[in-house]
Structures are given as structure tokens and as C-alpha cells.
Amino acid sequence: MSEFEKLMQQKAAALRYDPEKNGAPVIVASGMGYMAEKITETAMKAGVPVYEDDSLASLLTQLKLGKEIPEELFQAIVEIYVYFLGFTGESKSKDKKEEKSEK
């Protein structure tokens, strides 16, 4: 498979969740190929966590921008949010343990 073909298979979607405005996360960007690559690069540069799941990305890129994700995808999205919350929490607790052991 050529590099171009690999690039064209990439898919990405960006979500935003504001509980005061929306009942569910909203798709704020999505794309395939070069656009997917740029969405991912932009997120990483901005310090936004990136989660890779080809199946979920395929589903999300089929939805309209600005729309809340459908209820059928809630569980998958919640698992991603929990993953990132746990990742951040573990990272912070390890840092605190290391600080205490140094004292």
C-alpha cells in the first residue's frame, strides 16, 4: 500500500462537550485523509488528548458537524473520557508520590 493510500484511509473527528449548552458531545471537526492528519496534528499541538479507534472514527466522520453524537455512541465516548480522566489522574498521583519520596 502506498503512502498516499495509507493517508487516505485515515479518519479523525474532534468532539467538544459543554454540559451547559449540550446534552452530549458535539462534533466540531471531522475528516479523512489529509484533513484527518491535520485534525490530529492540531489537537496534539494544542495539548488535546488524542484517542485512536478506527471504527469509532469511521462512524463519527459520517455525522454532521455541529450535531450531538447519537445516543448509540454514548457508551463508546464515555469510555474514552474515562480513559483520559484516569490517565491524567494516574499521571498526577505518580508525580505527587515521587515528590513525597524525594522529601
Side-chain angles (χ1 to χ4, degrees):
M1 181 180 296
S2 73
E3 289 298 315
F4 178 75
E5 290 171 325
K6 286 180 188 176
L7 175 65
M8 292 312 295
Q9 287 186 340
Q10 291 181 4
K11 295 177 180 157
L15 304 175
R16 177 177 51 210
Y17 179 58
D18 183 346
E20 294 181 19
K21 293 182 181 178
N22 306 100
V26 173
I27 299 169
V28 294
S30 71
M32 297 171 30
Y34 180 74
M35 183 60 73
E37 185 176 65
K38 287 300 177 187
I39 290 168
T40 304
E41 285 177 10
T42 301
M44 291 201 286
K45 285 180 184 176
V48 174
V50 174
Y51 185 88
E52 294 185 28
D53 183 324
D54 293 336
S55 298
L56 185 57
S58 292
L59 291 170
L60 292 173
T61 56
Q62 294 175 28
L63 302 173
K64 291 183 180 181
L65 292 178
K67 295 291 183 182
E68 292 182 359
I69 62 161
E71 196 170 322
E72 297 82 19
L73 296 179
F74 281 9
Q75 187 60 42
I77 301 302
V78 166
E79 288 173 11
I80 293 168
Y81 278 111
V82 168
Y83 170 81
F84 284 123
L85 289 172
F87 182 77
T88 302
E90 288 176 22
S91 171
K92 287 181 181 176
S93 65
K94 284 181 185 176
D95 291 343
K96 288 180 182 178
K97 287 179 186 175
E98 289 174 9
E99 285 177 17
K100 287 181 182 178
S101 66
E102 289 176 3
K103 290 181 180 179

